[in-house]
Amino acid sequence: MVATGKRQREIFVRIVGLALMMSILMLVVFAPSETPAANPVRIAVITAKTGEAGPTNSLSFEAARYSVNVINGDRGILGRPVQLLEYDNQSTPEGSAEAARQALADGAVAVVGCNWSSHSLAMAEVLQQERIPMITHMSTNPAVTRVGDFIFRACFTDDLQGTGLARFVSEKLRAKTAVILVDRSRTYSKGLARTFAESFKAGGGTILWAAEYDSGGLNPDMYLENVAQLDPDVLFVPGGYADVAAFFGRTARYNIRAARVSGDGISVKLYSHIGELADGVYFSGHWNRWVNSNLSRDFVRAYEKESGKIRENTQALVYDSFMLLREAMEWAGTTDGPKVRDALSRISGFEGVTGAITFDSNGDPIKPMTINQLRYGGLLYLEQVSP
């Protein structure tokens, strides 16, 4: 049958319409894409993989990967996936500053790190100048956030830590006298020693001796002889694993009866340095897997199912740092540095794995700390101390 003129026009209109629709679809498919996958939110983590700090700092990278996987499994940030950028600061302040510059060149809109305060101070100078938000997960020296208003932290400060430890040894250990041994090369050690001494004396305690040492080529015996003669109630050594082990591993040789106390620079890994001689050491912490909160218990189960056993409180602090950034970016509705900074500064009562976090005017969190003791090759959680 031959179609009439009207029928032919109808067929022609349909063909043209179909062709037009196909053309539009082709334009959509092949047009330059601005999809979320093509525009990820780049967040950097900077700390040590190599050098002196590498063996302990490297857990931060593992925790950062886990955190990003959680975020991306829950719609990402602002509907965009997070791309993790990892940088090794080679255990130096100079390496930290260079890593920060490289992160900026690679398009990072925020940075998490470093572990050591001296490293974070160097990195913070670079990021503050470029108005990029930074959250340090482990650097406790108050000077870090004083660099500027773009610098925050997820951990407590040495001021809170020193005060909490001094209160613990005074109230729970009934200590009246103390000796403090300080690593003169570490900002962390000097800051924590200062705040502990001030708080201990304010509570009626007496500092019998405060001495500085060099961690390189350390000879602990020359210090421990004097400690034995002074016979303090507490021997406080706020250092890293190597020097804390050097002192605490030899106290028994000098019949030193003092309670051995350190800060968050050590953990259960002290056993790998001095074995059973680590038994009895007290130290402060930012979190403990036995903290009794639903969020903490859920984190432990989920993390260990996906990434293996939790070994340090560092892992929870990294997680909280990424979640704080996500919260701020979602509030701000953008990844723009100044607007994210403003959102971070307004955070109050944020429920983190390591406790409720409220930022003060310096970018420091008001949050609880834990007191722990090494026992029988493991870690005994004693209590949480609130500010």
PDB file of all heavy atoms in Angstrom, residues 220-247:
ATOM      1  N   PRO A 220      72.021   6.052  79.903  1.00  0.00           N
ATOM      2  CA  PRO A 220      71.030   6.209  80.981  1.00  0.00           C
ATOM      3  C   PRO A 220      71.603   6.049  82.380  1.00  0.00           C
ATOM      4  O   PRO A 220      71.047   6.586  83.342  1.00  0.00           O
ATOM      5  CB  PRO A 220      70.004   5.123  80.672  1.00  0.00           C
ATOM      6  CG  PRO A 220      70.763   4.096  79.912  1.00  0.00           C
ATOM      7  CD  PRO A 220      71.764   4.839  79.105  1.00  0.00           C
ATOM      8  N   ASP A 221      72.700   5.330  82.514  1.00  0.00           N
ATOM      9  CA  ASP A 221      73.210   5.024  83.850  1.00  0.00           C
ATOM     10  C   ASP A 221      73.579   6.277  84.631  1.00  0.00           C
ATOM     11  O   ASP A 221      73.351   6.358  85.834  1.00  0.00           O
ATOM     12  CB  ASP A 221      74.428   4.093  83.746  1.00  0.00           C
ATOM     13  CG  ASP A 221      74.053   2.739  83.171  1.00  0.00           C
ATOM     14  OD1 ASP A 221      73.117   2.119  83.695  1.00  0.00           O
ATOM     15  OD2 ASP A 221      74.670   2.316  82.181  1.00  0.00           O
ATOM     16  N   MET A 222      74.148   7.267  83.954  1.00  0.00           N
ATOM     17  CA  MET A 222      74.566   8.474  84.655  1.00  0.00           C
ATOM     18  C   MET A 222      73.371   9.238  85.242  1.00  0.00           C
ATOM     19  O   MET A 222      73.498   9.951  86.225  1.00  0.00           O
ATOM     20  CB  MET A 222      75.362   9.389  83.714  1.00  0.00           C
ATOM     21  CG  MET A 222      74.591   9.876  82.507  1.00  0.00           C
ATOM     22  SD  MET A 222      75.623  10.895  81.406  1.00  0.00           S
ATOM     23  CE  MET A 222      75.834  12.360  82.411  1.00  0.00           C
ATOM     24  N   TYR A 223      72.201   9.061  84.653  1.00  0.00           N
ATOM     25  CA  TYR A 223      70.986   9.686  85.174  1.00  0.00           C
ATOM     26  C   TYR A 223      70.348   8.836  86.261  1.00  0.00           C
ATOM     27  O   TYR A 223      69.872   9.350  87.286  1.00  0.00           O
ATOM     28  CB  TYR A 223      69.978   9.904  84.042  1.00  0.00           C
ATOM     29  CG  TYR A 223      70.444  10.868  82.989  1.00  0.00           C
ATOM     30  CD1 TYR A 223      71.156  10.421  81.877  1.00  0.00           C
ATOM     31  CD2 TYR A 223      70.182  12.229  83.094  1.00  0.00           C
ATOM     32  CE1 TYR A 223      71.589  11.310  80.906  1.00  0.00           C
ATOM     33  CE2 TYR A 223      70.606  13.128  82.124  1.00  0.00           C
ATOM     34  CZ  TYR A 223      71.309  12.660  81.032  1.00  0.00           C
ATOM     35  OH  TYR A 223      71.748  13.538  80.068  1.00  0.00           O
ATOM     36  N   LEU A 224      70.320   7.523  86.030  1.00  0.00           N
ATOM     37  CA  LEU A 224      69.629   6.637  86.957  1.00  0.00           C
ATOM     38  C   LEU A 224      70.326   6.547  88.309  1.00  0.00           C
ATOM     39  O   LEU A 224      69.673   6.314  89.343  1.00  0.00           O
ATOM     40  CB  LEU A 224      69.475   5.251  86.335  1.00  0.00           C
ATOM     41  CG  LEU A 224      68.544   5.201  85.114  1.00  0.00           C
ATOM     42  CD1 LEU A 224      68.534   3.810  84.499  1.00  0.00           C
ATOM     43  CD2 LEU A 224      67.121   5.618  85.505  1.00  0.00           C
ATOM     44  N   GLU A 225      71.626   6.719  88.332  1.00  0.00           N
ATOM     45  CA  GLU A 225      72.342   6.736  89.613  1.00  0.00           C
ATOM     46  C   GLU A 225      71.815   7.859  90.499  1.00  0.00           C
ATOM     47  O   GLU A 225      71.610   7.673  91.708  1.00  0.00           O
ATOM     48  CB  GLU A 225      73.850   6.899  89.366  1.00  0.00           C
ATOM     49  CG  GLU A 225      74.515   5.666  88.782  1.00  0.00           C
ATOM     50  CD  GLU A 225      75.974   5.911  88.447  1.00  0.00           C
ATOM     51  OE1 GLU A 225      76.426   7.069  88.620  1.00  0.00           O
ATOM     52  OE2 GLU A 225      76.650   4.968  88.018  1.00  0.00           O
ATOM     53  N   ASN A 226      71.600   9.005  89.889  1.00  0.00           N
ATOM     54  CA  ASN A 226      71.101  10.142  90.657  1.00  0.00           C
ATOM     55  C   ASN A 226      69.634   9.942  91.060  1.00  0.00           C
ATOM     56  O   ASN A 226      69.221  10.314  92.165  1.00  0.00           O
ATOM     57  CB  ASN A 226      71.250  11.426  89.845  1.00  0.00           C
ATOM     58  CG  ASN A 226      71.185  12.674  90.698  1.00  0.00           C
ATOM     59  OD1 ASN A 226      71.592  12.665  91.854  1.00  0.00           O
ATOM     60  ND2 ASN A 226      70.674  13.756  90.140  1.00  0.00           N
ATOM     61  N   VAL A 227      68.846   9.343  90.152  1.00  0.00           N
ATOM     62  CA  VAL A 227      67.443   9.060  90.466  1.00  0.00           C
ATOM     63  C   VAL A 227      67.361   8.140  91.677  1.00  0.00           C
ATOM     64  O   VAL A 227      66.533   8.346  92.584  1.00  0.00           O
ATOM     65  CB  VAL A 227      66.731   8.428  89.257  1.00  0.00           C
ATOM     66  CG1 VAL A 227      65.320   7.993  89.637  1.00  0.00           C
ATOM     67  CG2 VAL A 227      66.680   9.402  88.086  1.00  0.00           C
ATOM     68  N   ALA A 228      68.218   7.130  91.716  1.00  0.00           N
ATOM     69  CA  ALA A 228      68.210   6.187  92.834  1.00  0.00           C
ATOM     70  C   ALA A 228      68.507   6.893  94.161  1.00  0.00           C
ATOM     71  O   ALA A 228      67.902   6.584  95.195  1.00  0.00           O
ATOM     72  CB  ALA A 228      69.220   5.081  92.581  1.00  0.00           C
ATOM     73  N   GLN A 229      69.426   7.844  94.129  1.00  0.00           N
ATOM     74  CA  GLN A 229      69.770   8.576  95.350  1.00  0.00           C
ATOM     75  C   GLN A 229      68.625   9.484  95.809  1.00  0.00           C
ATOM     76  O   GLN A 229      68.375   9.628  97.000  1.00  0.00           O
ATOM     77  CB  GLN A 229      71.031   9.404  95.112  1.00  0.00           C
ATOM     78  CG  GLN A 229      72.282   8.566  94.925  1.00  0.00           C
ATOM     79  CD  GLN A 229      73.510   9.419  94.642  1.00  0.00           C
ATOM     80  OE1 GLN A 229      73.455  10.643  94.691  1.00  0.00           O
ATOM     81  NE2 GLN A 229      74.625   8.757  94.337  1.00  0.00           N
ATOM     82  N   LEU A 230      67.918  10.086  94.837  1.00  0.00           N
ATOM     83  CA  LEU A 230      66.817  10.988  95.172  1.00  0.00           C
ATOM     84  C   LEU A 230      65.577  10.241  95.635  1.00  0.00           C
ATOM     85  O   LEU A 230      64.774  10.766  96.392  1.00  0.00           O
ATOM     86  CB  LEU A 230      66.472  11.858  93.956  1.00  0.00           C
ATOM     87  CG  LEU A 230      67.540  12.873  93.554  1.00  0.00           C
ATOM     88  CD1 LEU A 230      67.208  13.478  92.185  1.00  0.00           C
ATOM     89  CD2 LEU A 230      67.647  13.969  94.606  1.00  0.00           C
ATOM     90  N   ASP A 231      65.395   9.002  95.174  1.00  0.00           N
ATOM     91  CA  ASP A 231      64.287   8.130  95.568  1.00  0.00           C
ATOM     92  C   ASP A 231      62.924   8.814  95.429  1.00  0.00           C
ATOM     93  O   ASP A 231      62.179   8.955  96.412  1.00  0.00           O
ATOM     94  CB  ASP A 231      64.484   7.656  97.005  1.00  0.00           C
ATOM     95  CG  ASP A 231      63.518   6.533  97.391  1.00  0.00           C
ATOM     96  OD1 ASP A 231      63.046   5.821  96.465  1.00  0.00           O
ATOM     97  OD2 ASP A 231      63.225   6.389  98.590  1.00  0.00           O
ATOM     98  N   PRO A 232      62.553   9.226  94.220  1.00  0.00           N
ATOM     99  CA  PRO A 232      61.256   9.907  94.031  1.00  0.00           C
ATOM    100  C   PRO A 232      60.095   8.923  94.036  1.00  0.00           C
ATOM    101  O   PRO A 232      60.287   7.706  93.886  1.00  0.00           O
ATOM    102  CB  PRO A 232      61.417  10.546  92.650  1.00  0.00           C
ATOM    103  CG  PRO A 232      62.290   9.575  91.913  1.00  0.00           C
ATOM    104  CD  PRO A 232      63.278   9.077  92.954  1.00  0.00           C
ATOM    105  N   ASP A 233      58.887   9.466  94.177  1.00  0.00           N
ATOM    106  CA  ASP A 233      57.689   8.634  94.049  1.00  0.00           C
ATOM    107  C   ASP A 233      57.393   8.317  92.585  1.00  0.00           C
ATOM    108  O   ASP A 233      56.829   7.269  92.278  1.00  0.00           O
ATOM    109  CB  ASP A 233      56.480   9.357  94.649  1.00  0.00           C
ATOM    110  CG  ASP A 233      56.619   9.597  96.141  1.00  0.00           C
ATOM    111  OD1 ASP A 233      57.200   8.730  96.827  1.00  0.00           O
ATOM    112  OD2 ASP A 233      56.153  10.647  96.613  1.00  0.00           O
ATOM    113  N   VAL A 234      57.764   9.244  91.696  1.00  0.00           N
ATOM    114  CA  VAL A 234      57.477   9.102  90.268  1.00  0.00           C
ATOM    115  C   VAL A 234      58.710   9.433  89.449  1.00  0.00           C
ATOM    116  O   VAL A 234      59.412  10.423  89.738  1.00  0.00           O
ATOM    117  CB  VAL A 234      56.322  10.043  89.840  1.00  0.00           C
ATOM    118  CG1 VAL A 234      56.185  10.099  88.321  1.00  0.00           C
ATOM    119  CG2 VAL A 234      55.012   9.589  90.447  1.00  0.00           C
ATOM    120  N   LEU A 235      58.994   8.616  88.437  1.00  0.00           N
ATOM    121  CA  LEU A 235      59.998   8.931  87.424  1.00  0.00           C
ATOM    122  C   LEU A 235      59.246   9.166  86.128  1.00  0.00           C
ATOM    123  O   LEU A 235      58.672   8.238  85.560  1.00  0.00           O
ATOM    124  CB  LEU A 235      60.994   7.785  87.252  1.00  0.00           C
ATOM    125  CG  LEU A 235      62.000   7.941  86.104  1.00  0.00           C
ATOM    126  CD1 LEU A 235      62.833   9.211  86.259  1.00  0.00           C
ATOM    127  CD2 LEU A 235      62.897   6.708  85.995  1.00  0.00           C
ATOM    128  N   PHE A 236      59.226  10.414  85.665  1.00  0.00           N
ATOM    129  CA  PHE A 236      58.457  10.787  84.478  1.00  0.00           C
ATOM    130  C   PHE A 236      59.417  11.013  83.318  1.00  0.00           C
ATOM    131  O   PHE A 236      60.289  11.880  83.386  1.00  0.00           O
ATOM    132  CB  PHE A 236      57.651  12.055  84.761  1.00  0.00           C
ATOM    133  CG  PHE A 236      56.769  12.497  83.618  1.00  0.00           C
ATOM    134  CD1 PHE A 236      55.931  11.600  82.963  1.00  0.00           C
ATOM    135  CD2 PHE A 236      56.775  13.823  83.196  1.00  0.00           C
ATOM    136  CE1 PHE A 236      55.119  12.010  81.915  1.00  0.00           C
ATOM    137  CE2 PHE A 236      55.969  14.254  82.165  1.00  0.00           C
ATOM    138  CZ  PHE A 236      55.136  13.340  81.516  1.00  0.00           C
ATOM    139  N   VAL A 237      59.245  10.216  82.243  1.00  0.00           N
ATOM    140  CA  VAL A 237      60.086  10.335  81.049  1.00  0.00           C
ATOM    141  C   VAL A 237      59.177  10.468  79.826  1.00  0.00           C
ATOM    142  O   VAL A 237      58.737   9.478  79.246  1.00  0.00           O
ATOM    143  CB  VAL A 237      61.011   9.115  80.883  1.00  0.00           C
ATOM    144  CG1 VAL A 237      61.965   9.341  79.703  1.00  0.00           C
ATOM    145  CG2 VAL A 237      61.807   8.857  82.156  1.00  0.00           C
ATOM    146  N   PRO A 238      58.877  11.684  79.410  1.00  0.00           N
ATOM    147  CA  PRO A 238      57.981  11.896  78.257  1.00  0.00           C
ATOM    148  C   PRO A 238      58.742  11.873  76.939  1.00  0.00           C
ATOM    149  O   PRO A 238      58.909  12.900  76.274  1.00  0.00           O
ATOM    150  CB  PRO A 238      57.407  13.290  78.542  1.00  0.00           C
ATOM    151  CG  PRO A 238      58.526  13.997  79.242  1.00  0.00           C
ATOM    152  CD  PRO A 238      59.220  12.951  80.070  1.00  0.00           C
ATOM    153  N   GLY A 239      59.206  10.694  76.546  1.00  0.00           N
ATOM    154  CA  GLY A 239      59.985  10.573  75.317  1.00  0.00           C
ATOM    155  C   GLY A 239      59.413   9.557  74.360  1.00  0.00           C
ATOM    156  O   GLY A 239      58.265   9.151  74.476  1.00  0.00           O
ATOM    157  N   GLY A 240      60.245   9.126  73.427  1.00  0.00           N
ATOM    158  CA  GLY A 240      59.862   8.096  72.477  1.00  0.00           C
ATOM    159  C   GLY A 240      60.270   6.723  72.977  1.00  0.00           C
ATOM    160  O   GLY A 240      60.847   6.574  74.064  1.00  0.00           O
ATOM    161  N   TYR A 241      60.000   5.709  72.154  1.00  0.00           N
ATOM    162  CA  TYR A 241      60.239   4.332  72.586  1.00  0.00           C
ATOM    163  C   TYR A 241      61.680   4.072  73.002  1.00  0.00           C
ATOM    164  O   TYR A 241      61.935   3.466  74.049  1.00  0.00           O
ATOM    165  CB  TYR A 241      59.865   3.366  71.455  1.00  0.00           C
ATOM    166  CG  TYR A 241      58.395   3.214  71.236  1.00  0.00           C
ATOM    167  CD1 TYR A 241      57.763   3.882  70.190  1.00  0.00           C
ATOM    168  CD2 TYR A 241      57.627   2.413  72.058  1.00  0.00           C
ATOM    169  CE1 TYR A 241      56.396   3.750  69.977  1.00  0.00           C
ATOM    170  CE2 TYR A 241      56.258   2.268  71.863  1.00  0.00           C
ATOM    171  CZ  TYR A 241      55.656   2.945  70.819  1.00  0.00           C
ATOM    172  OH  TYR A 241      54.309   2.816  70.621  1.00  0.00           O
ATOM    173  N   ALA A 242      62.631   4.509  72.194  1.00  0.00           N
ATOM    174  CA  ALA A 242      64.030   4.151  72.431  1.00  0.00           C
ATOM    175  C   ALA A 242      64.538   4.686  73.765  1.00  0.00           C
ATOM    176  O   ALA A 242      65.148   3.951  74.555  1.00  0.00           O
ATOM    177  CB  ALA A 242      64.901   4.653  71.286  1.00  0.00           C
ATOM    178  N   ASP A 243      64.297   5.978  74.039  1.00  0.00           N
ATOM    179  CA  ASP A 243      64.833   6.546  75.265  1.00  0.00           C
ATOM    180  C   ASP A 243      64.024   6.126  76.493  1.00  0.00           C
ATOM    181  O   ASP A 243      64.593   5.890  77.569  1.00  0.00           O
ATOM    182  CB  ASP A 243      64.951   8.075  75.171  1.00  0.00           C
ATOM    183  CG  ASP A 243      63.818   8.737  74.439  1.00  0.00           C
ATOM    184  OD1 ASP A 243      63.445   8.241  73.378  1.00  0.00           O
ATOM    185  OD2 ASP A 243      63.302   9.761  74.929  1.00  0.00           O
ATOM    186  N   VAL A 244      62.707   6.005  76.352  1.00  0.00           N
ATOM    187  CA  VAL A 244      61.898   5.512  77.478  1.00  0.00           C
ATOM    188  C   VAL A 244      62.337   4.101  77.840  1.00  0.00           C
ATOM    189  O   VAL A 244      62.479   3.753  79.022  1.00  0.00           O
ATOM    190  CB  VAL A 244      60.398   5.563  77.139  1.00  0.00           C
ATOM    191  CG1 VAL A 244      59.579   4.830  78.198  1.00  0.00           C
ATOM    192  CG2 VAL A 244      59.920   7.011  77.027  1.00  0.00           C
ATOM    193  N   ALA A 245      62.578   3.274  76.830  1.00  0.00           N
ATOM    194  CA  ALA A 245      63.040   1.905  77.074  1.00  0.00           C
ATOM    195  C   ALA A 245      64.411   1.896  77.743  1.00  0.00           C
ATOM    196  O   ALA A 245      64.677   1.093  78.648  1.00  0.00           O
ATOM    197  CB  ALA A 245      63.081   1.127  75.766  1.00  0.00           C
ATOM    198  N   ALA A 246      65.286   2.791  77.302  1.00  0.00           N
ATOM    199  CA  ALA A 246      66.636   2.846  77.869  1.00  0.00           C
ATOM    200  C   ALA A 246      66.602   3.163  79.361  1.00  0.00           C
ATOM    201  O   ALA A 246      67.357   2.586  80.154  1.00  0.00           O
ATOM    202  CB  ALA A 246      67.467   3.895  77.132  1.00  0.00           C
ATOM    203  N   PHE A 247      65.720   4.057  79.768  1.00  0.00           N
ATOM    204  CA  PHE A 247      65.605   4.403  81.185  1.00  0.00           C
ATOM    205  C   PHE A 247      64.806   3.364  81.971  1.00  0.00           C
ATOM    206  O   PHE A 247      65.279   2.816  82.974  1.00  0.00           O
ATOM    207  CB  PHE A 247      64.940   5.777  81.339  1.00  0.00           C
ATOM    208  CG  PHE A 247      65.833   6.925  80.970  1.00  0.00           C
ATOM    209  CD1 PHE A 247      65.513   7.739  79.903  1.00  0.00           C
ATOM    210  CD2 PHE A 247      66.989   7.195  81.692  1.00  0.00           C
ATOM    211  CE1 PHE A 247      66.328   8.811  79.561  1.00  0.00           C
ATOM    212  CE2 PHE A 247      67.815   8.265  81.359  1.00  0.00           C
ATOM    213  CZ  PHE A 247      67.476   9.076  80.287  1.00  0.00           C
TER     214      PHE A 247
END
